[in-house]
Amino acid sequence: MKSKKIVPFNKLSRRILIIKKKSKSIVLCHGCFDVLHFGHLRHFQEAKKYADFLIVTITPDHFVNKGDDRPIFSQNHRAELLCGLEVIDYIGINEWSSAVETIKLIKPNYFAKGSEYEEIGQTVNPLFELEKKALHEIGGEMLFTYEETSSSSEIVEKIKKL
């Protein structure tokens, strides 16, 4: 499926320039989003309240390290599924193992993560500290959402046990 929402990074950077020239704000959400659930939707909806544009980037297949047979859905299928969510303005398939380079390229006003990332020492992704550092370097602000959460990995494990 082709969608105007899924944008390669070389074109995404051009769209970002247009957005910023219009003095519009951007919030970036980044993750695997392998098994989409209500927690993801609520996270996106809450993040979008803080900016004019919500950009979601996904981890490419070869960098997903959530266990055997993951991701369940390919990066293209994950991007296509996200297209169906009205709250998202643009979707990019990341080219790197973390959001560090993406943050440097997009220079979002906000980088949004779920509340599970807020506790120091309990971060879900060890690369998160590098992402926060990149965000600080470009003058962006960290944003945590406090919506009810769920876990794709826990959902997958429950299904495997059936």
Side-chain angles (χ1 to χ4, degrees):
M1 174 188 164
K2 292 286 184 189
S3 171
K4 292 180 181 179
K5 282 188 177 186
I6 302 173
V7 184
F9 270 88
N10 61 338
K11 292 182 181 175
L12 186 58
S13 59
R14 283 185 243 144
R15 290 192 188 180
I16 299 298
L17 286 174
I18 294 167
I19 291 168
K20 290 191 174 199
K21 281 183 181 178
K22 294 179 180 180
S23 298
K24 301 291 184 182
S25 58
I26 296 169
V27 59
L28 172 67
C29 294
H30 175 80
C32 180
F33 309 116
D34 189 15
V35 177
L36 202 59
H37 52 72
F38 71 92
H40 291 133
L41 176 61
R42 290 179 179 176
H43 172 65
F44 298 146
Q45 289 170 331
E46 184 64 22
K48 178 70 181 259
K49 291 177 183 178
Y50 291 85
D52 300 303
F53 286 84
L54 170 59
I55 298 173
V56 175
T57 55
I58 61 174
T59 304
D61 294 345
H62 59 279
F63 288 121
V64 174
N65 58 358
K66 294 183 178 267
D68 295 337
D69 302 322
R70 297 288 300 276
I72 291 174
F73 297 102
S74 72
Q75 61 196 33
N76 293 331
H77 287 150
R78 291 181 280 139
E80 182 179 336
L81 182 60
L82 290 170
C83 283
L85 300 180
E86 190 174 296
V87 68
I88 299 172
D89 295 296
Y90 294 115
I91 299 153
I93 298 172
N94 204 28
E95 297 176 7
W96 307 277
S97 62
S98 75
V100 170
E101 294 301 323
T102 304
I103 290 167
K104 290 178 180 179
L105 176 73
I106 293 174
K107 295 180 177 55
N109 302 84
Y110 303 97
F111 182 50
K113 286 288 195 183
S115 58
E116 69 272 21
Y117 281 82
E118 190 170 22
E119 294 291 323
I120 293 176
Q122 295 184 12
T123 56
V124 177
N125 181 346
L127 298 171
F128 177 59
E129 292 302 318
L130 297 174
E131 293 167 345
K132 282 195 323 189
K133 182 180 179 208
L135 183 68
H136 177 74
E137 288 172 359
I138 59 100
E141 188 176 328
M142 194 67 228
L143 170 67
F144 295 101
T145 61
Y146 298 95
E147 299 302 314
E148 185 177 355
T149 61
S150 186
S151 165
S152 296
S153 295
E154 288 176 15
I155 292 168
V156 169
E157 288 307 311
K158 279 184 182 180
I159 292 170
K160 282 182 178 181
K161 290 179 182 178
L162 295 178

